[in-house]
Amino acid sequence: MQVDRSYQCKDVLILAYQSFGVLFGDLSISPLYAFKSTFSGNLSNYQSEDVIFGALSLIFWTLTLLSLFKHVIILLNADDNGEGGIFALYSLLCRHAKFSLLPNHQTADEELSTYHNPRYSYRNLQSPTVKRFAERHKKAKTALLLLVLFGTCLLICVGFLTPAISIRSAIEGVKVRSSELHYGVVLIIACILLVGLFVLQHRGTYRVAFMFAPIVILWSLSTAAIGVYNILKWNPRVYKALSPYYIYTFFRDTRYDGWISLGGVLLCVTGAEAMFADLGQYTAASIRLSFFCIIYPCLVLQYMGQAAFLSKNFSAVSTSFYASIPDSLFWPVLVMATLAAIVASQSVISATFSIVKQCYAIGCFPRVKVVHKSKWFRGQIYIPEINWVLLVLCLAVTVGFRDINHFGNAYGLTYMSAMFVTTWLTALIINFVWGQSLVLALLFALFFGSIEIIFLSSSFIRISKGGWVPLVLSVIFMLIMFVWHYGSRKKYLYDLHNKVPMKQILTLGPSLGIVRVPGIGLIFTALVSGVPATFTRFLTNLPTFYQVAVFVCEKTVLVPYVPQKERYLIGRIGPKSFRMYRCIVRNGYKDVQKNEDDFENDLIMSIAEFIQLEAEGSGTLEGSVDGRMAVVRTSEKFGKRLEISELERNGEASSSMPPTILNSSKSHILQYLQSTYEMESPGSTLRRRVRFKLQPDMNYRDPNVKDELLELVEAKQSGVAYVLGHSHIKAKMNAPCLKRFVIHVAYLFLRKNCRAPAVVLNIPQTCLIEVGMNYYL
């Protein structure tokens, strides 16, 4: 037990060290602009020690209540299988109450090992009235989804505001020593750093990530040491400002001007959301250790040091941080501030990619290219489209906001609005998921929500001075998400309404009334049951199909990750002689497919395992219309039914055992065209090519099973084709004008300017078949 505890302590310490470079960069650089933004308005006319102490007291208690108590102590407990963030809260709510709007939910999804958390085993013991009301009313579910989307849009805005304000604030320190330096020079340096930061995103951070934690730790300790120096040198009495009494004297003396200054005070907690949003890479214990031992005391000491300096040098309030640095340490601290700002920016950009990926996973964002390389860290992704959008917006606000205080107004309003959304979602978690009383949930929402409302009321006064930018962009992003979700859901409901009855398929017989040719046809559909109209339309226009037909449905389950062995759900459609199967690929909202090329091979292995399990279990499914599904990868014999050998580029097997030669049905001309395409397409030559064969020592109880497996292997050797629907969306003739505008203008515009399904699925052009379909929504 002592050995286990020592290992656990070691793991916590390692994670705590690593967390500095990812979670606390944004929070640790807030001293660069917190005091400056607080005294940017009429508050600069109150040049007294009590006002300085009052501002410090406000910063201290805001940091303590919102960062320490709300996020570190309470919110870190609201994790979804170790993951945090707004989507984690929404996922918990959807799993423990019927709030989800995802249309293809199955009872089998609830059997996933990550679906239920043992800590919430008492989830069904009570059903609050509010919960029953929300479950029965679709408008309540839609309102909850809009709230979540608005919160994520605010965090996307943080993705371009953080690099702009942090790097700009760090670079402006040069003007303290070079007062004659032109504003344009600072702007050019900041823009160069920003462009370099975004241009290098596609390379990942795995080569330099080891430097992030030491940079933030050194930065935090340095700012704390400077704070202690300023306390001892300028005003040792500053510790008295930690008393809440100075908050009272602050508002008593400043009144309306003091209330307006709260928009600058709230900048001291910008970055607190990152501790919860990026929880999945670490543990709650490691984050608490880092925050309690380093981040929190260092921030408090730095703010106290700035307050002590300002109490004797109020004229330097516009450059309070850099002006308080001893002369001998100025340039090293400036370099560290710039590095810390880059680390903070990198973490926020990566978090923005993750947020967009989660929106895309639940059908609330247009199709984008998600890049993940095997040498990158788990969960680290890159989205080219979002990267360039963030760069353009970042440069726009950097050049457009000449006054750094406008950055603070926009930044503070965005972060506090996101915090307010998180507060109300957490209140629902307390009641619906944790099973606590409604009174306790309301007390949490009212206590922290009232604090955030006070700060927001102050920030809204500054909307005309930069605060309007994130609000307008958040509304635009939210409209994009909601339009895409609306169009996608209507399209799914159309497919569901027009799916082909199985009785119609069964009357056609095993040949389906068409010519069956060698090969495997993968028909992609959003349906988890039934036969999509795409398939019958294909047969109507071309009465030929492959000998093995697999209906593939890729869907998202509201869990962060689906274990690989539980990902594939395999079943049979119709009698065995039809050779028609169904494969449901279940992904979590944070899952990233690392090896798309292995999908075909995994599918073949899964179907082969299903055929064997079906025969070993019972033979009563011969006449089933739409057979039961099975999670085949949990079988102990998975992967042992077929032999697999790697093929070299020349087509020969690399295995030492010569596999059974299976002749391809493709003509020499088609084989020549495919090889030519693969030579001209660099990505195609990197695809993994394998060959399957039956295990020679496998005993089969039913000879039909061997024939079915052999037919499956021969079909794979003949080739695999991907059948996708190429949809043309139109609104019904009698649809309202607003719906026609949403479908014909907004939704179609998004469809034309996003990635095609074949590109997202990484399907080679030589294997793609698109079937045109008209949708009248």
Side-chain angles (χ1 to χ4, degrees), residues 727-752:
S727 54
H728 301 274
I729 309 295
K730 297 180 180 180
K732 294 180 180 179
M733 295 297 295
N734 59 348
C737 293
L738 180 60
K739 181 177 180 179
R740 294 173 64 86
F741 173 81
V742 170
I743 297 297
H744 287 166
V745 179
Y747 185 62
L748 288 183
F749 174 81
L750 295 176
R751 282 175 54 86
K752 291 179 180 179

Side-chain angles (χ1 to χ4, degrees), residues 158-168 194 197-198 345 349 394:
V158 171
F160 68 85
L161 287 174
T162 297
I165 188 174
S166 57
I167 292 179
R168 171 84 173 271
L194 289 172
L197 178 66
F198 282 97
S345 303
I349 294 170
C394 194

Side-chain angles (χ1 to χ4, degrees), residues 113 392 675:
S113 58
V392 171
S675 61

Side-chain angles (χ1 to χ4, degrees), residues 512-743:
L512 300 179
I514 59 174
V515 179
R516 303 291 287 268
V517 298
I520 297 178
L522 303 182
I523 305 99
F524 280 79
T525 175
L527 301 177
V528 295
S529 63
V531 176
T534 306
F535 181 64
T536 56
R537 183 171 181 82
F538 178 89
L539 300 183
T540 302
N541 291 275
L542 184 64
T544 304
F545 204 73
Y546 298 94
Q547 67 188 91
V548 176
V550 184
F551 295 88
V552 181
C553 171
E554 280 203 74
K555 72 172 191 175
T556 299
V557 183
L558 284 173
V559 294
Y561 298 101
V562 175
Q564 184 64 29
K565 65 179 183 180
E566 302 177 33
R567 191 176 303 278
Y568 291 90
L569 200 60
I570 305 296
R572 187 188 295 277
I573 298 179
K576 294 180 181 180
S577 58
F578 279 52
R579 299 295 191 261
M580 295 172 64
Y581 308 92
R582 186 183 306 282
C583 173
I584 299 177
V585 185
R586 301 179 292 184
N587 299 308
Y589 57 82
K590 294 200 72 173
D591 269 322
V592 178
Q593 298 301 318
K594 299 180 181 179
N595 300 312
E596 296 88 348
D597 301 338
D598 290 339
F599 171 73
E600 292 180 10
N601 305 325
D602 291 341
L603 181 62
I604 299 302
M605 298 291 285
S606 299
I607 294 176
E609 185 67 25
F610 170 79
I611 295 171
Q612 285 281 60
L613 291 177
E614 184 184 39
E616 295 173 358
S618 64
T620 60
L621 298 178
E622 173 64 35
S624 64
V625 174
D626 200 348
R628 63 190 179 191
M629 311 292 288
V631 185
V632 295
R633 281 178 171 262
T634 56
S635 171
E636 295 180 356
K637 297 181 180 180
F638 181 81
K640 301 178 182 178
R641 310 288 189 176
L642 299 177
E643 282 189 8
I644 184 171
S645 57
E646 194 89 19
L647 291 180
E648 302 293 347
R649 292 188 180 181
N650 57 6
E652 299 295 332
S654 61
S655 174
S656 58
M657 298 180 61
T660 304
I661 301 300
L662 300 170
N663 293 328
S664 174
S665 63
K666 296 181 180 179
S667 66
H668 294 292
I669 296 177
L670 288 178
Q671 293 180 16
Y672 171 76
L673 292 176
Q674 181 175 359
S675 61
T676 303
Y677 171 80
E678 291 178 350
M679 291 178 61
E680 295 177 352
S681 303
S684 300
T685 59
L686 299 177
R687 295 179 66 88
R688 185 184 176 208
R689 303 181 65 183
V690 299
R691 175 173 291 164
F692 293 95
K693 74 171 185 174
L694 301 184
Q695 290 282 4
D697 56 348
M698 181 67 67
N699 295 323
Y700 301 96
R701 299 179 184 177
D702 186 353
N704 294 328
V705 173
K706 183 177 181 180
D707 293 340
E708 188 173 2
L709 290 175
L710 185 61
E711 187 173 343
L712 177 67
V713 172
E714 290 177 346
K716 173 63 173 70
Q717 183 64 22
S718 298
V720 178
Y722 294 76
V723 181
L724 273 68
H726 185 78
S727 54
H728 301 274
I729 309 295
K730 297 180 180 180
K732 294 180 180 179
M733 295 297 295
N734 59 348
C737 293
L738 180 60
K739 181 177 180 179
R740 294 173 64 86
F741 173 81
V742 170
I743 297 297

Side-chain angles (χ1 to χ4, degrees), residues 131-152:
K131 177 180 175 181
R132 292 197 301 268
F133 173 82
E135 289 178 343
R136 294 174 182 174
H137 292 78
K138 183 180 177 181
K139 291 184 178 179
K141 300 178 185 179
T142 305
L144 179 63
L145 178 62
L146 288 175
L147 180 66
V148 171
L149 292 181
F150 183 65
T152 56

Side-chain angles (χ1 to χ4, degrees), residues 375-387:
K375 53 189 175 183
W376 289 5
F377 301 111
R378 179 192 177 188
Q380 183 183 4
I381 60 175
Y382 168 69
I383 304 179
E385 300 94 324
I386 303 301
N387 184 65

